[in-house]
Amino acid sequence: MFKALLLVFSVVCITSASAQIGERLRELIANRRQAGPGPDSAQVAGQEFSYGSDPLQKLDYWKPTTPGSPLVIFVHGGGWKRGDKSMSVGDKSSHYLQQGYAFASVNYRLVPACSVEEQAQDVANAIAYLIRNAGKLGFDGKRVALIGHSAGAHLVALVGTDLSYLKIAEVGPKAVRGVIPLDGAAYDVPRQIAEGGDFMHDTYLQAFGTESERQKKLSPTLQAAAPNAPAFLILHVQRVDGTAQSIALGEALRKAGTPAEVKGFAGQGLKGHMEINRDLGKPDYPATPVVDAWLKKVLGK
């Protein structure tokens, strides 16, 4: 009997350890895929600035070739608990400079050391820092667009629908002319926790907790009653939850009178989710000309 119990206990321990290792491996793979092949020459040329006192409250900035150009700001993903500004990977900085924009990539503090509310405030504070220094940095502080991927898509959508973050940062409600969330899946947090399956379930609970009213307050779709940022372009790949959440966010924004376009692109699962971040800015990636045309329309470029 003792040997049998010992065998059962060993199997349970091994299974639990294997599950933990598997989850950690998935996180490492996600980090590696999202981080991409490493910085290109344009990324190396970015200048780092601090917008707050915390070591993570930093951003990288690329000055435009023409003074007074609009600014595109990128906010990285990583499940709210990992990642950094280097995840504006691939051709983004060089592409947007070539398109005639200034470009910035923003860090924010990470869960669990800070809350998602504080992360959204970090994004708003970074926007405010850039706008206040627009003259010195050489861009037009009245023509700013915001792009975010994954968790960053949620954060930019939240800043664009709950304008209290921009108010606290002491910039106007139209400080950002347009918001582009890339393949987010937590625009309606309670729905995502209920329907999103097991893969990210613990990550969502860590970020948003279990209290219903807090989850709703942190849901861009549920905060989309006017006023909002002036315009949204919501992009997604072919993930069931990301597609449904993107469509619902677009519908909520349009119901509030906010222009919102929703466009889907090829790409399945985690691979497609990472591709839309890594490949945006490449001329042959289908989303690149869509974003370019929309930015030109919204920023008057």
Side-chain angles (χ1 to χ4, degrees):
M1 176 65 71
F2 176 77
K3 289 182 178 180
L5 289 173
L6 181 61
L7 177 60
V8 171
F9 177 76
S10 300
V11 169
V12 169
C13 290
I14 291 169
T15 301
S16 177
S18 297
Q20 293 175 3
I21 292 170
E23 175 65 22
R24 181 58 183 152
L25 283 173
R26 284 194 293 270
E27 288 190 5
L28 289 172
I29 291 169
N31 284 345
R32 177 63 60 85
R33 287 179 177 175
Q34 199 156 324
D40 60 18
S41 58
Q43 288 177 309
V44 172
Q47 185 175 359
E48 186 176 74
F49 295 94
S50 296
Y51 65 87
S53 59
D54 190 275
L56 284 177
Q57 292 174 318
K58 296 182 184 296
L59 59 87
D60 289 338
Y61 175 75
W62 289 260
K63 192 172 184 177
T65 55
T66 303
S69 297
L71 171 66
V72 174
I73 302 173
F74 179 82
V75 179
H76 70 81
W80 301 272
K81 61 185 174 180
R82 56 181 177 261
D84 60 47
K85 53 190 170 57
S86 69
M87 290 161 65
S88 63
V89 295
D91 296 344
K92 289 187 187 64
S93 57
S94 58
H95 175 75
Y96 292 115
L97 289 175
Q98 290 167 4
Q99 292 291 308
Y101 303 107
F103 184 77
S105 185
V106 173
N107 265 3
Y108 49 87
R109 291 169 293 167
L110 301 173
V111 169
C114 80
S115 67
V116 173
E117 291 90 340
E118 289 171 314
Q119 292 179 330
Q121 194 59 57
D122 279 356
V123 172
N125 290 349
I127 294 167
Y129 172 88
L130 287 161
I131 290 174
R132 283 194 294 269
N133 290 281
K136 179 176 68 176
L137 295 173
F139 70 89
D140 183 351
K142 295 182 179 180
R143 293 190 292 163
V144 177
L146 193 57
I147 302 176
H149 173 248
S150 193
H154 165 265
L155 291 173
V156 301
L158 184 60
V159 169
T161 52
D162 183 348
L163 299 184
S164 66
Y165 295 104
L166 292 172
K167 183 177 180 180
I168 291 170
E170 299 183 346
V171 292
K174 295 184 179 180
V176 174
R177 284 201 182 182
V179 179
I180 306 177
L182 302 177
D183 206 48
Y187 305 132
D188 181 338
V189 174
R191 177 181 177 181
Q192 183 63 11
I193 289 175
E195 300 178 2
D198 295 333
F199 179 65
M200 290 282 288
H201 186 76
D202 290 346
T203 294
Y204 293 132
L205 290 181
Q206 182 186 40
F208 301 107
T210 58
E211 205 276 314
S212 175
E213 289 307 309
R214 179 176 179 240
Q215 292 177 359
K216 292 176 182 177
K217 182 66 175 172
L218 292 171
S219 298
T221 299
L222 305 182
Q223 300 300 317
N228 298 302
F232 285 74
L233 174 64
I234 304 162
L235 306 186
H236 64 85
V237 297
Q238 303 309 306
R239 298 189 302 148
V240 173
D241 53 352
T243 300
Q245 291 259 342
S246 296
I247 291 171
L249 175 59
E251 290 174 347
L253 287 164
R254 289 191 294 272
K255 183 178 179 181
T258 302
E261 301 176 37
V262 181
K263 296 187 180 295
F265 296 90
Q268 302 289 332
L270 182 62
K271 183 174 182 289
H273 178 65
M274 297 306 171
E275 282 174 349
I276 198 169
N277 176 44
R278 186 184 66 239
D279 293 346
L280 183 66
K282 294 181 178 179
D284 59 349
Y285 185 64
T288 298
V290 172
V291 171
D292 289 349
W294 191 85
L295 286 173
K296 185 176 181 180
K297 176 178 67 174
V298 168
L299 296 177
K301 179 64 182 167

